[in-house]
Amino acid sequence: MSGEAPWRHGASAVNDAKADKQLRLYVGLVAFAGFCCLLWAISHAPALPAERLFLPAAVTTIIAAASSPLVSVRVRSEKRGIAATSGSILLAAATLPVPWVIICTTVGALASRIMMRDPLKVSYNASKDIVAATTAAFTISVLGIGPTADLIVDLPAPPHLAAAILGAALAYAAVDELLGMTLFSLLSGASWRRAMRGHWDVTLVVRGVNIVLATLVVIAVEYDSLLVVATIPTVLALQFATKNKVRQRADQEAWQRLAGTADQLNVTELTAVLHAAVRRTPELFSADQAEIELSDVDPPRLVRGEAGRLAYDGPVAEAPRHEGSTIEVPLDRPGSDGTPIGVLRLRFRKPVKLDESERYKLQTLASSLSTAIDNARAYAQLKRINAENAYAAAHDPLTGLANRRELLEQADRSFADRHTDGITAMLLIDLNHFKEVNDTLGHAAGDDVLREVAGRLEDAAQSGDLVARLGGDEFAILLTGLPTPAVAGHRATAMLSCLEPPIMVDGMQLTVEAAGGIALAPGSGGVQELMRRADVAMYQAKRNGQGIATYAHAQDTTDVGRLMLGGELTRAVAKHEFYVEFQPIVDLASGDVVSAEALARWHHPEHGDLTPMQFLRTVERSGQLAAFADAVLEQSLTAVVSWRDAGFDLPVAVNVSPRSLLDPTFPAAVLDRLVAHAVPADRLVLELAETLTLSQLDVVDRTLSELRDAGVRLALDDFGTGVSSLTVLSRLPVHQLKIDREFVTAVETSSEAAAVIRSTVDLGRSLHLTVVAEGVESEPQRHALWELGCVAGQGHLFARPMRAERMLATLQRGSGALAEPLHETGAVVRLPQRRRSRNALPHLPA
Ligand code: C2E
Ligand code: CA
Ligand code: CA
């Protein structure tokens, strides 16, 4: 076997003159050595008997046949063949005198390369074979094997023969490899080790098989020299079979390596994908370098690797220049659109042509690379979206501060972590008169103020503090790790004083006043209790016109408004001091009563009847909210049943505090009452205040879906006043919208109010929601609302809130109607386009 010499690609490719000179010198030396051997052989060749001339002729033919490369390996820009010349030369060496071995090799080697056009290449390769053959021939004759003068081979015992052939084979291999590798490394610049590494195993096997075959053939030839002729087709057949086998195996290995690389690309991080690709690809294609250019990013990115390491990763424009030739394949996005991502390039020092199978592999690699890049990008995007969602869930979009949920969670965590040193405290800050800023300067100015306040609080906070916006103009700061309770007070004062300097809004100086309440973490009750206490303190500060108040247990009950003595609420519930009045909701066109809203009152033994404005806030903060809500619901359902028994089957609308929705037992309490009174769920409408809190908490979502699934109707109260009406609506699946009184009052005078009503009605129509107007006080308002497409309304025009019995009497008196119809029968009117939806109020005249 011999290493078929590689060759450079045309003289023009030689750009290193020194290396070229070295090369020429080396080639010249080898050719000269070969020529010397040949000269010696010709001068010393013994004459052969004519009848045995067939032997050198056959041997020459075998050498020629065996010399064509079995497999051709490209290492970087250089090709290298592996041939099975060695066996034929061993055969020659064992059966012919040394000079004839050289002559036969010369003729055979030249004949097998008859197709090569480059004389330099032919003479080098032939010379190499000659020198190696000479060495093998001398070795074998020194080891005592050789024909007699009349070419009769007289062999020693098989072990001796095998040893001699092995010795000759080693000598041949040493010279062959030495000469071949030297040239190869001179040409390709690859190291000797690298040159050896390629297909060393194939080389070894081919050489071993050659030794065995040569030994067998030699024994056969001794038996009958004519058998050598039969060897010729055998060699050709073997040559053919091995060639296929070797090729197949090389191909399979290459695919396995490719698959291995594709596996390595299966990572989620883009940079890891790119780096793995450029590190592995050069080896796969025996390229000097591989690079990926991503052209769909700004700036275009180039990643380059060579020999298992990363060579460059950065903008294309800044990449080091590279001499030589490239082969590139486009990287397209997988899938139908196939938008280009960039290119994958193989780089070589010299021009290289890939064979068909290599091109196919490159194409395959490119498509798995495209997929890997696409996957990594999709993954990165997913990660980003998740992070954004997590951020949005924990932050207030306006100020970027933590939101209520985040505050509660963090406070919970600091409560749970028993190892935290120091004291935990909560500071609640509420801006005074913020509504006026909104009303006079507009919401944009209000937002500016909130952002400025948020910024100042953040600046004043220390590390470890958590500043949050609870909604509206309420802020909270969670202070942890305080050394003493007194420090909490100091910190609170510092936080509040940062709000004192005027705030510039639209070129105006505004002074923001705020009230703050501070409370220390309670022994029990957790976060909720801490919040409640801070709230109580803040409320106290507000009432007393103080800047800051600290929660004190002794004052908890007395200071929550003089009316609201702790025991009083409990008593109020126990003694049924809370009662409910009903305000009819009327079909605007016909004047028929279609429903009624329950409004709570407190009949206080000392202070007389109190309105929700006066007591609700306190009830909500006390432990009595559930009992209060239950009392209201109980009375409302009792009323519904009494009206129904009298023939007026009206649904009732009951107001629900946002805080009730945080109570997971609330839905069950409501549904139990419905069952107890045998009132169908769809006869109950729950009116929800439109607050941000509502739309932010999962527990609220769950509470509401539970109620809704049971058939209870939901209405969004005071619609239009919140900043995020649409956001709330998208999250809360309600059946009804109640337009706030603010717009109804202004419906005739303000085109903006009219526009809000019109768009609310439109919204209701497209979402199949009923729209009810609140606070209708005059006929012109009623008419205007009806013209705008609003179906139902409530207000002093029709009736003030009244007790259930009076409501029934009113219904009976008017046979269910409370007002004259808008239009007399026969009058020509243009009816607003109206569609009755499934969610429309019952009893609406069609
Ligand atoms: P709301 O839900 O907006 O209720 C309508 C309020 O407008 C009622 O005030 C009602 O008396 C008043 N109103 C009705 N028609 C007119 C009108 O034509 N002109 C004017 N100027 N006002 C009118 P009220 O009864 O003082 O209730 C105030 C708020 O208290 C209610 O606002 C509701 O949010 C809350 N509320 C009432 N009852 C309950 C209850 O049982 N539970 C809870 N959580 N909140 C309640
Ligand atoms: Ca209401
Ligand atoms: Ca309302």
Side-chain angles (χ1 to χ4, degrees):
M1 129 131 213
S2 83
E4 183 70 6
W7 215 253
R8 59 172 190 271
H9 302 263
S12 66
V14 182
N15 36 22
D16 191 338
K18 196 175 151 227
D20 193 49
K21 228 174 116 187
Q22 270 183 359
L23 189 72
R24 278 169 187 279
L25 186 68
Y26 172 72
V27 168
L29 272 174
V30 175
F32 179 69
F35 188 65
C36 289
C37 294
L38 183 61
L39 270 186
W40 176 86
I42 293 173
S43 55
H44 289 77
L48 295 178
E51 77 278 7
R52 292 195 68 87
L53 272 179
F54 72 92
L55 191 60
V59 167
T60 305
T61 314
I62 294 172
I63 291 176
S67 290
S68 79
L70 280 179
V71 57
S72 148
V73 186
R74 186 178 46 69
V75 175
R76 302 196 178 174
S77 330
E78 305 302 340
K79 282 217 164 196
R80 172 157 192 251
I82 295 175
T85 325
S86 64
S88 54
I89 287 181
L90 291 176
L91 170 66
T95 52
L96 294 174
V98 176
W100 279 107
V101 176
I102 298 170
I103 292 167
C104 292
T105 305
T106 309
V107 177
L110 288 175
S112 77
R113 294 180 178 85
I114 205 103
M115 303 300 282
M116 282 192 192
R117 252 158 282 150
D118 191 335
L120 205 64
K121 201 167 171 178
V122 174
S123 57
Y124 167 79
N125 278 315
S127 304
K128 184 170 70 91
D129 286 352
I130 295 168
V131 173
T134 308
T135 318
F138 273 112
T139 309
I140 209 162
S141 85
V142 165
L143 291 174
I145 303 212
T148 53
D150 53 356
L151 285 191
I152 301 301
V153 188
D154 185 16
L155 289 181
H160 182 179
L161 174 70
I165 289 188
L166 181 66
L170 286 176
Y172 177 90
V175 173
D176 184 48
E177 290 292 337
L178 186 78
L179 296 182
M181 300 275 181
T182 306
L183 180 77
F184 185 72
S185 56
L186 274 176
L187 272 172
S188 66
S191 73
W192 255 71
R193 260 185 58 201
R194 198 180 146 72
M196 297 235 347
R197 221 170 39 202
H199 286 267
W200 64 270
D201 50 345
V202 177
T203 310
L204 211 66
V205 170
V206 171
R207 286 196 191 280
V209 169
N210 270 289
I211 291 173
V212 175
L213 286 179
T215 313
L216 293 176
V217 175
V218 169
I219 292 172
V221 170
E222 189 206 11
Y223 179 70
D224 183 349
S225 17
L226 265 176
L227 276 177
V228 77
V229 182
T231 309
I232 298 172
T234 316
V235 167
L236 283 175
L238 263 175
Q239 177 89 356
F240 181 74
T242 325
K243 219 173 193 164
N244 270 346
K245 187 93 196 139
V246 168
R247 267 203 198 136
Q248 246 176 30
R249 209 191 74 145
D251 210 43
Q252 192 183 357
E253 274 176 7
W255 279 109
Q256 274 164 359
R257 284 207 306 275
L258 188 70
T261 303
D263 273 354
Q264 291 214 335
L265 298 182
N266 225 337
V267 284
T268 49
E269 215 265 315
L270 179 64
T271 300
V273 171
L274 300 176
H275 288 186
V278 298
R279 275 203 288 260
R280 300 267 313 213
T281 307
E283 202 204 328
L284 286 180
F285 295 94
S286 194
D288 291 303
Q289 292 187 323
E291 64 183 32
I292 298 167
E293 187 176 324
L294 294 181
S295 47
D296 61 348
V297 290
D298 191 37
R301 174 178 178 183
L302 187 88
V303 184
R304 187 181 284 168
E306 58 187 23
R309 66 179 190 91
L310 182 73
Y312 176 82
D313 183 355
V316 172
E318 287 163 31
R321 308 285 285 126
H322 187 286
E323 300 287 318
S325 73
T326 61
I327 290 175
E328 63 176 49
V329 262
L331 298 172
D332 293 330
R333 260 195 83 197
S336 51
D337 65 343
T339 42
I341 297 176
V343 287
L344 168 65
R345 268 188 218 110
L346 302 179
R347 290 189 160 280
F348 300 92
R349 274 168 222 230
K350 296 167 189 170
V352 160
K353 218 170 148 302
L354 296 186
D355 63 30
E356 197 184 335
S357 125
E358 281 177 316
R359 279 202 304 274
Y360 184 47
K361 277 173 208 133
L362 186 59
Q363 195 56 56
T364 309
L365 178 68
S367 58
S368 38
L369 181 57
S370 306
T371 309
I373 292 175
D374 203 47
N375 285 348
R377 284 176 169 175
Y379 183 79
Q381 198 178 356
L382 202 70
K383 240 169 81 176
R384 205 184 50 241
I385 292 172
N386 278 344
E388 277 170 11
N389 283 348
Y391 183 88
H395 289 83
D396 164 44
L398 178 68
T399 61
L401 293 180
N403 59 18
R404 178 187 293 270
R405 170 200 250 168
E406 177 70 6
L407 178 84
L408 295 183
E409 272 177 15
Q410 289 231 11
D412 243 352
R413 246 174 273 146
S414 88
F415 271 55
D417 186 5
R418 302 248 162 250
H419 302 292
T420 38
D421 291 332
I423 298 162
T424 300
M426 182 73 79
L427 169 63
L428 276 194
I429 295 180
D430 195 294
L431 307 186
N432 299 337
H433 316 297
F434 180 69
K435 194 171 167 344
E436 287 160 34
V437 176
N438 263 342
D439 289 351
T440 50
L441 301 178
H443 283 287
D447 288 354
D448 284 348
V449 170
L450 291 174
R451 271 191 289 261
E452 176 65 23
V453 167
R456 289 188 187 183
L457 291 177
E458 281 244 282
D459 289 346
Q462 296 185 1
S463 79
D465 295 351
L466 178 70
V467 183
R469 177 171 170 233
L470 303 182
D473 54 357
E474 262 195 348
F475 294 85
I477 298 105
L478 178 72
L479 308 165
T480 49
L482 303 172
T484 64
V487 173
H490 291 136
R491 295 286 313 282
T493 316
M495 296 295 270
L496 247 84
S497 61
C498 81
L499 302 180
E500 277 164 20
I503 292 176
M504 289 294 286
V505 176
D506 288 343
M508 268 178 295
Q509 287 206 337
L510 289 183
T511 317
V512 172
E513 279 175 28
I518 189 144
L520 301 177
S524 65
V527 187
Q528 294 295 344
E529 177 61 12
L530 176 62
M531 287 296 272
R532 191 193 71 82
R533 291 186 178 188
D535 211 44
V536 167
M538 199 263 289
Y539 192 68
Q540 183 198 339
K542 256 204 163 136
R543 290 175 53 84
N544 302 350
Q546 289 168 276
I548 286 191
T550 307
Y551 174 85
H553 192 63
Q555 290 175 329
D556 191 353
T557 44
T558 45
D559 270 315
V560 186
R562 260 158 294 130
L563 295 172
M564 311 311 156
L565 294 164
E568 278 205 279
L569 281 176
T570 328
R571 186 205 64 220
V573 172
K575 299 225 156 165
H576 307 289
E577 288 172 17
F578 292 114
Y579 67 94
V580 177
E581 289 192 327
F582 298 90
Q583 183 172 39
I585 298 174
V586 168
D587 181 289
L588 287 180
S590 66
D592 288 341
V593 177
V594 289
S595 161
E597 176 175 2
L599 296 159
R601 308 284 180 252
W602 183 359
H603 185 73
H604 195 276
E606 283 169 51
H607 305 282
D609 288 343
L610 302 174
T611 66
M613 289 288 268
Q614 292 166 289
F615 63 80
L616 251 179
R617 201 173 150 98
T618 314
V619 171
E620 284 176 341
R621 277 147 211 248
S622 73
Q624 299 296 325
L625 176 62
F628 164 80
D630 213 34
V632 171
L633 185 63
E634 168 68 23
Q635 295 181 39
S636 303
L637 295 181
T638 308
V640 166
V641 172
S642 71
W643 301 331
R644 187 180 62 193
D645 292 347
F648 300 97
D649 187 9
L650 302 178
V652 68
V654 174
N655 293 285
V656 175
S657 285
R659 281 177 202 226
S660 294
L661 301 177
L662 297 175
D663 175 2
T665 65
F666 179 72
V670 171
L671 300 178
D672 285 352
R673 288 250 167 245
L674 284 170
V675 171
H677 289 273
V679 173
D682 67 355
R683 306 275 90 179
L684 177 64
V685 181
L686 295 181
E687 296 197 0
L688 316 168
E690 184 198 43
T691 64
L692 271 178
T693 344
L694 270 188
S695 63
Q696 280 177 354
L697 295 171
D698 291 343
V699 54
V700 172
D701 285 356
R702 281 198 296 276
T703 304
L704 291 178
S705 3
E706 212 175 310
L707 288 164
R708 200 189 139 100
D709 292 348
V712 173
R713 318 248 109 189
L714 303 177
L716 211 48
D717 213 348
D718 308 335
F719 191 78
T721 53
V723 271
S724 56
S725 309
L726 280 176
T727 329
V728 176
L729 204 55
S730 67
R731 181 97 186 240
L732 298 180
V734 300
H735 306 89
Q736 199 184 101
L737 302 177
K738 297 195 76 172
I739 301 181
D740 194 67
R741 191 164 66 229
E742 179 186 323
F743 304 107
V744 174
T745 311
V747 64
E748 297 161 285
T749 51
S750 148
S751 55
E752 280 132 53
V756 169
I757 295 173
R758 192 193 304 281
S759 56
T760 307
V761 167
D762 283 347
L763 185 69
R765 198 173 285 145
S766 45
L767 297 180
H768 302 297
L769 312 175
T770 329
V771 177
V772 178
E774 294 181 328
V776 186
E777 293 183 343
S778 69
E779 277 295 341
Q781 280 174 358
R782 173 189 180 193
H783 202 276
L785 285 164
W786 183 81
E787 288 265 272
L788 287 169
C790 189
V791 189
Q794 71 187 95
H796 294 169
L797 171 68
F798 306 110
R800 290 185 181 256
M802 56 191 129
R803 303 295 286 253
E805 307 78 49
R806 230 186 97 201
M807 168 97 180
L808 179 58
T810 311
L811 285 169
Q812 282 165 335
R813 197 170 45 241
S815 321
L818 254 179
E820 293 300 313
L822 264 188
H823 306 284
E824 296 306 329
T825 7
V828 182
V829 283
R830 190 173 46 81
L831 280 166
Q833 193 200 342
R834 217 185 302 155
R835 183 155 53 115
R836 229 189 122 175
S837 73
R838 281 198 299 123
N839 298 326
L841 288 168
H843 283 245
L844 274 182

